[in-house]
Amino acid sequence: MKKFYITTPIYYVNDEPHIGHTYTTVAADILARWHRLLGERVFFLTGTDEHGMKIFQAAQNASQDTQKYCNEIVVHFKSAWEKMNISYDRFIRTTEKSHISSVKKVLSELHRKDELYFSSYEGLYCIGCEKFLTETDLIDGMCPDHRVKPVVHKEGNYFFKLSGYREKLINAIQNEDDPNHFEILPQGRRNEIIGKLKTGLEDISISRANLPWGILLPFDSKQTTYVWVDALINYISGINYEEDETNFKFWWPTDVHLMAKDILWFHSVIWPAILIAVGLAVPKKIFAHGYFTISGQKMSKSLGNIISPRELIDEFGEDAARFLLMGAFPFGVDGDVTLKNFKLMYNARLANNVGNLVSRVFNMVEKYLGGRIEKPAGWSDEVFKQTRLAVEEIYKKFDELLIDASQEKIIELSDFGNRYIDRQEPWNLSKKTEDTEKLKLVLYNSLMMIKELAAYLYPFIPKTSEKIWFILGEKGKMDEVISSPQEPHFLTGTSLVKPSPLFPRK
Ligand code: MSP
């Protein structure tokens, strides 16, 4: 059986989950659900990043023990994902024992293979980013993302010989025959990474001397592991790298690492180099989507312009919140979001399109056919071709990881359903006895289309989809629809359940 291993970044545990984090997580959830529908074995990993200076300081500011502090605030992410109906298979925390032992194993391997050396270093460190910045990164002497002055950091650390991987990485990205080949998507981001690699690559420090909140190096207990190296290793510890070789070998390498562009360098350069160095396979695909801005500005705690997933759920409901985030702008580019645009999209795509289709078809089947579902004797596939074409496109867009485009194709199919009804005018067909067969056919085909829609919408709006399935009285499984995309899918129920509005107008 085919496997599909997908990950989100692990989010800094002290952040309040906002719609940026939610966007990545929902996108990963949609892919996970899609691959489950395809009949694949799926492992979907998400979690929290809990070490490093940023979290240590946050706990100190809250006058709390750091581990206790993490234990208390991790629920913010867990409950946000529960509310968004995120179907992860494992939620990993970097303070878990099994993760810590995986980090130690990787570091011991790097040490044993002579990939590390000790040296002293002086640089400008941004605690918000948990990384070194150069003078040219700064604006008015401050980190452009966090708007704070970086601290001067000077100490003796262990370094990873990253510079030695420059050629290897360029080859691995560009050459499909390279044993370490991996894809960076979208294409534009791949070109940026190659361009940057071509200008040079420096060794990186992988440890800290004066930070108690981190994983101790297995070969020097006076140093802790740099939080980014610690965090990246979650992708292998999440599938039991250290304690269950069979499980690890089944899932590794990752099929898709999903994230925003801000952390692509860590994932497409530092992470593959570490993996190659320890002799592990590299991820297959690394996809970086764009950044949400609010009225043109980066969303951040310090700017106070964060939109939380809670606000969207309260306004639109959990399924619609997922749908609106995914449809906000093309997956892969940046986009600005406003509550006003979310509302417009909600009404246009969900209330007036999908919701309207279900409610009008159900009302007419109730009114003209007493709510009974029966395949008409002379059934003909008059809408079949259109459905097949849409389905082909949906598959194609999913293959290219263009999740928003896939969602849009499904909405187009729903739109086609509405136009089909407008053209066939069942309300007129119901007036003459000689049109009864035609009326039955039009309504049956409309219900068949709704059944297809429910199955294809499942990854995006799972609860609503299941509701549609239920009110259709369906007995089959959605994955039967997905796994035979070229077949007509007749209805298996005999009568409809009266629906409440799926998406009330706003
Ligand atoms: N802890 C690191 C990741 C380690 S992964 C080995 C980290 N955490 S983070 O909490 O800052 O999350 C960054 C990720 O959150 C981004 O890559 C993206 O997936 C998501 N987003 C955060 N803000 C976002 C926007 N404004 N817009 C879109 N996605 C955003 O970095």
Side-chain angles (χ1 to χ4, degrees), residues 6-11 17-32 44-47 77 81 84 86-88 235 256-263 267 286-292 299 309 321-322 325-329 331-332 401 403:
I6 180 156
T7 69
T8 71
I10 46 170
Y11 305 106
H18 58 57
I19 57 168
H21 308 118
T22 314
Y23 184 61
T24 318
T25 314
V26 166
D29 187 59
I30 292 169
L31 288 174
F44 169 16
L45 180 72
T46 188
F77 275 97
W81 300 159
M84 294 303 287
I86 303 298
S87 61
Y88 57 77
Y235 299 128
V256 183
H257 279 319
L258 212 59
M259 74 215 67
K261 59 180 186 177
D262 56 335
I263 56 175
H267 284 80
I286 301 170
F287 190 104
H289 62 70
Y291 236 64
F292 272 166
M299 207 173 7
R322 295 167 59 100
L325 283 175
M326 215 50 245
F329 50 80
F331 202 53
L401 299 180
I403 310 174

Side-chain angles (χ1 to χ4, degrees), residues 19-180:
I19 57 168
H21 308 118
T22 314
Y23 184 61
T24 318
T25 314
V26 166
D29 187 59
I30 292 169
L31 288 174
R33 287 177 186 269
W34 171 248
H35 284 268
R36 286 191 202 111
L37 279 180
L38 290 175
E40 296 171 16
R41 267 188 78 184
V42 171
F43 196 81
F44 169 16
L45 180 72
T46 188
T48 41
D49 193 349
E50 304 193 355
H51 288 127
M53 188 53 105
K54 183 158 53 172
I55 288 152
F56 183 63
Q57 284 187 348
Q60 296 231 307
N61 291 341
S63 310
Q64 276 213 38
D65 166 74
T66 318
Q67 184 65 65
K68 247 176 126 182
Y69 172 74
C70 292
N71 294 350
E72 274 175 26
I73 55 176
V74 69
V75 295
H76 297 168
F77 275 97
K78 287 192 170 168
S79 67
W81 300 159
E82 198 181 315
K83 285 187 193 102
M84 294 303 287
N85 206 359
I86 303 298
S87 61
Y88 57 77
D89 295 287
R90 178 165 179 193
F91 187 103
I92 188 165
R93 299 179 55 191
T94 53
T95 48
E96 283 169 30
K97 261 197 194 140
S98 65
H99 173 74
I100 294 171
S101 49
S102 289
V103 171
K104 290 193 171 182
K105 184 170 167 183
V106 171
L107 289 169
S108 301
E109 271 302 283
L110 289 175
H111 191 239
R112 192 179 65 81
K113 292 191 164 165
D114 200 24
E115 292 282 350
L116 306 177
Y117 63 91
F118 194 82
S119 174
S120 74
Y121 185 76
E122 180 169 349
L124 298 169
Y125 195 76
C126 172
I127 295 170
C129 300
E130 289 282 17
K131 69 177 184 188
F132 284 104
L133 301 176
T134 60
E135 289 286 351
T136 51
D137 292 328
L138 308 182
I139 296 178
D140 298 333
M142 291 190 273
C143 161
D145 284 348
H146 295 92
R147 311 214 173 158
V148 286
K149 261 187 160 179
V151 290
V152 179
H153 169 106
K154 187 180 179 193
E155 57 182 39
N157 294 144
Y158 287 88
F159 282 74
F160 169 48
K161 297 176 181 169
L162 181 63
S163 56
Y165 287 87
R166 198 170 75 99
E167 285 303 318
K168 274 194 191 122
L169 288 169
I170 295 176
N171 267 330
I173 300 166
Q174 285 184 327
N175 182 358
E176 282 183 28
D177 300 325
D178 189 288
N180 291 312

Side-chain angles (χ1 to χ4, degrees), residues 212-231:
W213 187 241
I215 300 175
L216 288 177
L217 296 186
F219 46 85
D220 183 344
S221 58
K222 285 187 288 309
Q223 300 253 339
T224 50
T225 311
Y226 172 39
V227 63
W228 260 102
V229 172
D230 168 347

Side-chain angles (χ1 to χ4, degrees), residues 463-475:
K463 288 207 168 151
T464 309
S465 234
E466 278 165 352
K467 185 172 168 189
I468 300 176
W469 205 253
F470 171 74
I471 59 180
L472 275 172
E474 270 303 313
K475 298 183 178 49

Side-chain angles (χ1 to χ4, degrees), residues 355-368 417-418 421 442-448 450 472 496:
N356 183 42
L357 177 69
V358 172
S359 108
R360 66 202 296 221
V361 172
F362 271 58
N363 281 339
M364 287 188 282
V365 175
E366 189 64 43
K367 191 167 167 194
Y368 306 133
N418 274 310
I421 292 165
V442 169
L443 292 180
Y444 190 84
N445 277 338
S446 303
L447 287 174
M448 274 178 78
I450 290 175
L472 275 172
L496 298 181

